[in-house]
């Protein structure tokens, strides 16, 4: 007879080998392809800027947790992830203090004031970016670094030469502009004021627009041969990371799918220059490949804490993000709307969850 | 053939490899048994013996304490030595009768051998089932004669036998499906006769292909009996989920019973007990129990007398190869961790599971990150993380809205939670509080 007393604990006594920590580090791993393309395209400074953001976020979180007298939990990877996502939204010519300040703001104001991981209403990384954009708009949107291979806008050399011959003002403007900046800029026809010799502003506009939608230009977008933020330029690298997370059952297909799908459809309907449905297939492709959409759809709009938990809710969230993104891009004053659309939908998350509460199995009134 | 299943669910590894090939062995007659008076849902049984009484195997020692209750029988021949509180597999201590024998004498009382048992009236069958003290052997332990007495306005057309055994590690039901399949089918036919159902289904998870094949062969000539292969997913064996998978019928929530879907569900082990009660008047005094776990030297499937101590079962299985971390009565998902091995097995004891220190370890609870893992797996389609949050903020209206009262405690949510939150504990608090609020409102 044994009189040993054993440990008791409530059921279940088995646990899946998945923890917050390995989820967060898995997301970091999924961002490596994008990091690699960023580093390849812009040089090692891109890598160092990213690390600066990540490490600043970790240091900031640890410091605040010490001050709050709560356990330091930076090894869970969530702060590091937030930090590198802030840096991913900054271009490679930025000074080092920029991602550091952004990451500190993201952690301090975006996360810790609400009580740390799990309690923040807004995506901290996007809040950090919004803060930087509002505080240093020029630093954030000017001085894009060209990649080692192509022009910043992804326009081919042939198109650029053609534009230069038509309007040198336009040429100067688009030389230093990202693809989405170009789209926004050419809506203002006054920039073609120097067009002469029987050519019209409309003609230049069309040349640039068509140039952007050329397959080689789209290919540049897809691979990442453009100017832009460190982590967002290569659609293919981000898609690989996103698929990896889906395969690992870490992110749900619903948000990326509905977000990208909505953006695609709306761009196709409203994006053409001659009214509804005037766009070909290239324009919606341009919209989903450009800017921060892939980064946003796979890595920001899927942030657990700030997005709905219900399945229907996640689809609504993705559609909402798509509608806001296209609205901002086509109608609004900013060239890019991904981060604001996700932040706005973050605010709607509790409401969406409340509205989309599923029926219990066998529900009767 | 595509496998039938339910919505949601988790995928724990089944760990059945330890004991699945161990043939059922008769566990040697114990010298001492402890018969718990509460082995079932409902009123505890009332002892009708006193210390010092001589009892024989199968003799009634406690009578049913009400309609929703069952009698208890002595599982050995010997003398009543104590009627006091003993450790119970639910983890606490409850009143029980200790019987001490000599480990050899085994005099049975009241056994018959009725060949034409199927021509008995349903009332007689139910009477024998009650007298044999049969209750559900899958775990919950609902008195079987009650389950087989649906009101007249609730006709039953289908009986489902639960051979799913979705709890990891357990193989008791699997072994009886291979070794006692004929008795299972006899029991099924008796149950169908009692509730006047014309269809019988045996649901088995696809990780037991030989059991599926064996039972399918046996019922192949009977057009009203069918074996349904089910997807391997936890909790496939939960009553409502099994009914849905097998018939596509949904049992209403908010306390709805299977009979509202015209179904009665019984465990395969219970079906054998029903057959033995009706045809042999044999009381439920033994059952098959799996003794398993990575550190158990020779994992076993034992047919052991009710009241046998877990410590003896473990000894019979060769003991352990490293230090015991925790002892679980039942399966790892819904079983109880018990403080002592000096606990007797009951009619609901499907397994004795031994974990080492590593497996018994619990990780620190962290903040919920709303990953929705619990939402995705909940077979009742509830929002478990919202129940946790509502409980933390004492918001009982919200807790109820998120589905607290429909939770059947399968534990899938806590199993997947990456933040190690034991969601079930919060659900239990919320349930108690909601009951409290309802009482106040009345």
């Amino acid at each position: 007879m044994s009189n040993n007393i054993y440990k008791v604990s409530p059921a279940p006594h088995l646990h899946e080998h998945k923890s917050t920590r390995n989820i967060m580090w898995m997301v970091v791993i999924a961002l490596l392809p994008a990091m690699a393309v960023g580093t390849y395209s812009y040089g090692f400074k891109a890598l160092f800027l990213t690390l600066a953001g990540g490490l600043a976020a970790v240091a900031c979180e640890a410091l605040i947790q010490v001050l709050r007298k709560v356990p330091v939990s930076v090894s869970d990877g969530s702060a590091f992830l937030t930090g590198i996502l802030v840096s991913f939204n900054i271009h490679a010519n930025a000074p080092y203090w920029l991602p550091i300040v952004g990451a500190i703001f993201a952690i301090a104001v975006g996360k810790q004031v609400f009580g740390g991981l799990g309690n923040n209403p807004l995506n901290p990384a996007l809040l950090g970016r919004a803060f930087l954009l509002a505080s240093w708009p020029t630093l954030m949107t000017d001085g894009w670094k060209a990649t080692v291979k192509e022009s910043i806008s992804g326009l081919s050399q042939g198109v650029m030469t053609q534009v230069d011959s038509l309007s040198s003002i336009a040429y100067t403007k688009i030389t230093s502009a990202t693809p989405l900046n170009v789209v926004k800029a050419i809506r203002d026809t006054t920039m073609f004021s120097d067009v002469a010799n029987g050519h019209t502003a409309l003609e230049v506009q069309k040349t640039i627009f068509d140039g952007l939608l050329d397959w080689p230009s789209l290919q540049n977008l897809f691979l990442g041969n453009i100017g832009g933020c460190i982590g967002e330029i290569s659609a293919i690298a981000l898609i690989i990371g996103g698929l990896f997370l889906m395969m690992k059952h870490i992110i749900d297909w619903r948000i990326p799918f509905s977000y990208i799908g909505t953006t695609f459809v709306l761009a196709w309907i409203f994006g053409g220059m001659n009214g509804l449905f005037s766009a070909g297939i290239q324009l919606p492709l341009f919209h989903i490949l450009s800017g921060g959409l892939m980064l946003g759809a796979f890595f920001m709009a899927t942030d657990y804490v700030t997005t709905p938990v219900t399945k229907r809710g996640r689809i609504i969230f993705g559609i909402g993000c798509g509608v806001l993104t296209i609205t901002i891009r086509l109608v609004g004053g900013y060239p890019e709307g991904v981060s604001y659309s996700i932040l706005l939908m973050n605010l709607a998350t509790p409401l969406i969850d409340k509205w989309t509460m599923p029926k219990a199995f066998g529900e009767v009134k | 053939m595509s496998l039938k299943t339910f919505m949601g669910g988790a995928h724990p590894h089944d760990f059945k490899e330890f004991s699945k090939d161990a043939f059922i062995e008769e566990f040697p007659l114990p010298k001492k048994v402890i018969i718990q008076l509460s082995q079932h849902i409902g009123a505890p049984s009332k002892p009708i013996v006193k210390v010092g009484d001589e009892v024989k195997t199968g003799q009634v020692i406690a009578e049913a304490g009400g309609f929703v209750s069952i009698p208890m029988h002595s599982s050995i021949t010997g003398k009543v030595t104590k009627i006091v509180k003993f450790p119970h597999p639910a983890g606490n201590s409850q009143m029980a009768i200790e019987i001490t024998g000599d480990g050899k004498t085994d005099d049975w009382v009241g056994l018959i051998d009725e060949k034409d048992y199927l021509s008995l009236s349903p009332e007689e069958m139910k009477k024998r089932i009650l007298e044999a003290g049969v209750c559900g052997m899958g775990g919950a332990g609902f008195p079987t004669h009650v389950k087989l007495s649906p009101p007249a306005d609730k006709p039953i057309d289908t009986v489902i036998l639960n051979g799913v055994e979705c709890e990891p590690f357990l193989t008791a039901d699997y072994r009886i499906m291979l070794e006692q399949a004929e008795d299972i089918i006899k029991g099924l036919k008796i149950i169908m006769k009692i509730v006047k159902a014309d269809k019988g289904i045996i649901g088995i998870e696809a990780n037991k292909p030989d059991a599926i094949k064996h039972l399918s062969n046996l019922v192949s000539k009977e057009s009203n009996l069918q074996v349904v292969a089910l997807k391997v997913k936890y909790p496939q064996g939960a009553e409502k989920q099994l009914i849905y998978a097998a018939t596509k019928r949904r049992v209403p929530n908010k306390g709805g019973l299977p009979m509202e879907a015209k179904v009665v569900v019984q465990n395969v082990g219970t079906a054998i007990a029903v057959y033995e009660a009706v045809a042999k008047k044999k009381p439920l005094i033994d059952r098959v129990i799996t003794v398993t776990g990575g550190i158990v030297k020779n994992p076993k499937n034992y047919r052991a007398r009710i009241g046998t101590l877990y410590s003896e079962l473990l000894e019979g299985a060769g003991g352990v190869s490293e230090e015991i971390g925790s002892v679980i009565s039942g399966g790892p998902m819904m079983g109880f961790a018990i403080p002592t091995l000096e606990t007797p097995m009951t009619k609901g004891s499907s397994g004795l599971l031994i974990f080492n220190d590593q497996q018994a370890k619990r990780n620190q609870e962290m903040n919920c990150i709303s990953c929705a893992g619990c939402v995705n797996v909940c077979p009742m389609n509830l929002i478990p993380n919202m129940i946790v949050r509502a409980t933390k903020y004492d918001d009982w209206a919200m807790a109820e809205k998120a589905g607290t009262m429909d939770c059947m405690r399968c534990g899938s949510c806590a199993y997947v939670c990456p933040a190690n939150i034991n969601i079930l504990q919060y659900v239990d608090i919320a349930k108690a509080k909601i009951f409290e609020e309802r009482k106040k409102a009345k």
Side-chain angles (χ1 to χ4, degrees):
Chain A
M1 189 187 264
S2 72
N3 290 314
N4 289 343
I5 297 294
Y6 304 107
K7 239 181 267 175
V8 293
S9 49
H13 308 283
L14 280 185
H15 195 268
E16 194 174 53
H17 298 291
K18 206 179 195 182
S19 65
T20 304
R21 180 181 307 192
N22 63 36
I23 288 172
M24 294 296 170
W25 288 112
M26 209 68 103
V27 178
V28 172
I29 289 172
L31 286 169
L32 288 179
M35 182 71 258
V37 175
T39 310
Y40 170 76
S41 301
Y42 303 130
F44 278 104
K45 190 178 176 197
L47 178 64
F48 297 146
L49 279 167
T50 309
L51 288 176
L55 295 177
V58 169
C60 175
E61 176 145 299
L63 180 68
I64 293 177
Q65 285 177 328
V66 168
L67 294 176
R68 281 178 63 209
K69 300 191 172 65
V70 296
V72 176
S73 64
V74 289
S75 66
D76 68 19
S78 67
F80 187 71
L81 177 60
T82 298
I84 62 174
L85 282 174
V86 170
S87 308
F88 268 22
N89 280 297
I90 290 170
H91 64 72
N93 272 342
Y96 279 107
W97 60 264
L98 197 66
I100 292 174
V101 170
I104 290 173
F105 185 88
I107 293 296
V109 181
K111 186 176 169 192
Q112 286 294 336
V113 287
F114 296 103
L117 182 63
N119 298 318
N120 47 300
L122 293 167
N123 186 317
L126 288 176
L127 200 66
R129 177 185 187 263
F131 167 75
L132 294 180
L133 194 62
S135 308
W136 295 281
T138 335
L139 266 180
M140 287 293 286
T141 57
D142 218 355
W144 304 100
K145 189 164 182 162
T147 66
V148 288
K149 273 183 155 174
E150 295 285 342
S151 62
I152 293 174
S153 62
L155 284 168
S156 66
Q157 212 44 58
V159 176
M160 292 300 275
T161 319
Q162 207 182 340
V163 172
D164 193 18
S165 71
L166 290 168
S167 157
S168 58
I169 302 177
Y171 178 79
T172 329
K173 282 235 170 182
I174 63 172
T175 310
S176 59
T178 62
L180 280 175
N181 277 319
V182 173
V183 173
K184 185 81 22 171
I186 59 172
R187 279 186 5 205
D188 175 15
T189 42
T190 56
M191 84 178 224
F192 312 115
S193 52
D194 62 341
V195 174
N197 304 333
H199 296 290
T200 62
L202 199 67
E203 212 173 311
V204 196
Q205 206 181 8
K206 199 171 167 343
T207 308
I208 299 172
F209 200 66
D210 289 348
L212 279 174
L213 301 184
D214 255 359
W215 290 111
S217 299
L218 288 179
Q219 197 187 335
N220 285 335
L221 281 177
F222 188 65
L223 298 176
N225 294 325
I226 49 164
C229 297
I230 295 169
E232 68 178 29
I233 49 167
S234 169
I236 178 70
L238 292 162
I239 291 171
I240 289 171
L243 290 179
F244 168 75
L245 291 180
M246 279 186 212
M247 265 163 49
K248 290 274 171 197
H249 298 285
I250 287 174
I251 62 169
D252 180 29
W253 58 271
R254 289 180 179 80
I255 290 176
F257 184 82
S258 57
Y259 189 176
I260 295 170
T262 305
T263 309
F264 186 92
V265 170
L266 291 181
W268 179 63
I269 298 175
F270 298 107
M273 300 201 80
N274 310 308
L276 297 184
F277 299 102
S278 61
I281 192 70
Q282 287 104 319
L283 184 79
L285 279 177
F286 171 82
H287 272 284
I288 65 168
L289 295 174
S290 61
L293 188 76
M294 288 295 167
L295 182 62
F298 285 110
F299 293 93
M300 309 275 208
T302 53
D303 170 42
Y304 292 148
V305 179
T306 54
T307 54
V309 295
T310 65
K311 295 183 180 93
R312 273 189 305 153
R314 285 182 231 149
I315 295 204
I316 293 171
F317 186 93
I319 293 175
C321 286
V323 169
L324 288 171
T325 299
I326 281 295
T327 309
I328 293 171
R329 280 187 186 178
L330 296 182
V331 188
Y334 284 108
E336 171 61 315
V338 168
S339 45
Y340 288 114
S341 64
I342 297 174
L343 283 170
L344 286 169
M345 290 309 288
N346 284 165
L347 290 172
T349 292
L351 206 58
I352 296 175
D353 267 339
K354 214 170 154 185
W355 282 343
T356 56
M357 199 94 90
K359 274 189 176 160
F361 178 75
E363 174 100 14
V364 287
K365 283 288 160 211
Chain B
M1 188 175 72
S2 75
L3 297 169
K4 297 183 174 173
T5 192
F6 61 98
M7 290 157 284
H11 296 90
H13 179 70
D14 75 9
F15 294 105
K16 298 197 191 269
E17 60 270 17
F18 297 115
S19 57
K20 79 185 203 16
D21 296 323
F23 282 88
I24 298 172
E25 275 176 53
E26 199 71 38
F27 190 74
L29 194 70
K31 279 195 174 136
K32 185 177 87 178
V33 289
I34 291 158
I35 311 291
Q36 285 287 348
L37 294 171
S38 214
Q39 307 195 14
H40 52 278
I41 286 178
S45 318
K46 286 190 217 143
I48 56 168
V49 289
K50 51 187 192 307
V51 175
D53 285 0
E54 301 275 349
V55 292
K56 293 195 165 171
T57 309
Q59 183 181 328
V60 179
I61 53 170
E63 59 186 15
F67 176 63
V68 185
S69 183
I70 49 173
M72 296 295 164
H73 306 74
S74 177
S75 57
I76 59 171
T77 303
K79 200 184 257 184
V80 177
T81 41
K82 274 180 200 162
I83 304 181
V84 290
K85 281 192 171 179
F86 276 100
H88 188 282
N92 50 10
S93 280
Q94 296 189 28
M95 285 304 285
I97 300 173
E98 181 190 85
I99 296 161
T100 311
D102 59 6
K104 289 192 281 280
T105 323
D106 194 21
D107 291 339
W108 286 70
V109 290
L111 289 187
I112 59 165
D113 193 1
E114 184 143 5
K115 292 272 173 289
D116 197 19
Y117 57 87
L118 267 182
S119 58
L120 294 170
S121 72
E123 276 57 44
E124 174 62 20
M125 288 174 168
K126 272 195 274 187
K127 192 168 150 259
R128 290 184 185 188
I129 290 168
L130 166 62
E131 283 170 358
V134 180
C135 64
M137 291 163 75
F142 197 77
T144 302
H145 66 282
V146 182
K147 222 173 175 182
L148 299 184
S149 307
D153 62 333
K154 301 277 183 198
I156 303 294
D157 64 11
T158 306
V159 172
I160 301 177
L161 287 194
N162 190 343
V164 176
E165 203 164 51
C166 59
E167 275 276 7
F169 286 98
L170 303 188
T171 54
D173 288 349
Y174 168 67
R175 289 313 311 181
I176 61 174
M177 286 191 285
L178 288 182
E179 299 181 38
Q180 280 187 280
E182 288 83 0
D183 292 352
I184 291 173
I185 292 166
K186 286 173 188 165
L188 172 59
K189 285 178 181 167
I190 294 172
I191 296 167
M192 286 166 66
K193 174 142 191 221
I194 294 175
V195 298
K196 301 180 181 71
D198 45 22
K199 196 169 168 136
I201 295 174
I202 304 171
I204 306 172
E205 248 183 9
N207 59 355
K208 310 175 209 12
D210 33 2
I212 294 171
K213 203 171 152 211
H214 184 48
L215 277 159
S216 301
N217 286 341
L218 287 177
V219 301
S220 60
K221 291 208 178 70
E222 320 216 21
S223 59
N224 57 343
L225 301 185
Q226 187 195 352
V227 173
V228 175
L230 302 163
K231 195 170 165 188
V232 183
K233 197 164 71 168
Y234 180 86
Q236 184 67 69
E239 201 167 54
K240 290 177 174 184
Q241 279 58 38
L242 174 59
I243 292 171
Y244 178 77
T247 66
K248 289 278 160 231
R249 297 180 195 166
R250 290 163 199 258
V251 177
N253 72 338
K254 299 187 176 143
L257 293 172
M259 62 186 179
E260 321 210 24
K262 300 183 175 181
V263 176
V264 160
V265 180
Q266 291 288 353
N267 173 267
V268 284
T270 317
I272 296 179
V274 162
Y275 159 68
E276 292 179 337
V278 172
K280 300 179 179 167
K281 284 201 173 178
K282 185 192 153 203
L284 179 48
I285 58 161
D286 60 5
R287 68 157 294 148
V288 177
I289 176 171
T290 304
V291 182
T292 185
I295 61 169
V296 174
K297 282 189 188 148
N298 308 306
K300 297 274 187 190
N301 295 297
Y302 275 133
R303 179 183 311 285
R305 298 287 164 97
I306 304 297
T308 307
L309 291 173
Y310 282 153
S311 54
E312 290 178 23
L313 293 172
L314 181 58
E315 216 170 286
V320 287
S321 56
E322 27 177 313
E323 205 163 322
I324 296 175
S326 64
V327 176
I328 293 152
S329 171
M333 296 300 284
M334 290 185 80
F336 294 91
I338 53 175
T340 168
L341 273 166
E342 301 308 311
T343 304
M345 61 179 277
T346 60
K347 297 174 181 181
S349 300
S350 45
L352 170 62
L353 175 59
I354 311 291
F355 274 173
N356 66 11
D357 221 35
Q358 179 64 30
Q359 290 166 306
K361 222 177 96 195
R362 288 306 181 91
N363 292 322
Q364 180 81 32
E365 177 173 319
M366 307 207 291
N367 285 355
C368 169
I369 51 167
S370 304
C371 71
C374 54
V375 179
N376 296 339
V377 297
C378 180
M380 290 305 291
N381 220 11
L382 315 178
I383 310 286
N385 72 320
M386 220 178 264
I387 299 178
V388 173
R389 187 176 304 172
T391 304
K392 283 186 173 170
Y393 292 113
D394 291 358
D395 185 349
W396 310 120
M398 178 55 100
E400 193 167 357
K401 215 181 153 210
T404 303
M405 302 315 270
D406 285 324
C407 172
M408 53 155 163
R409 311 191 79 260
C410 71
S412 300
C413 49
Y415 169 77
V416 298
C417 182
N420 308 310
I421 299 170
N422 198 310
I423 300 170
L424 277 191
Q425 301 262 288
Y426 289 92
V427 173
D428 288 346
I429 295 171
K431 256 189 196 166
K433 287 286 182 185
I434 291 169
F435 273 126
E436 225 172 81
E437 301 280 311
R438 282 184 187 173
K439 252 191 192 162
K440 264 190 235 162
K442 265 180 195 162

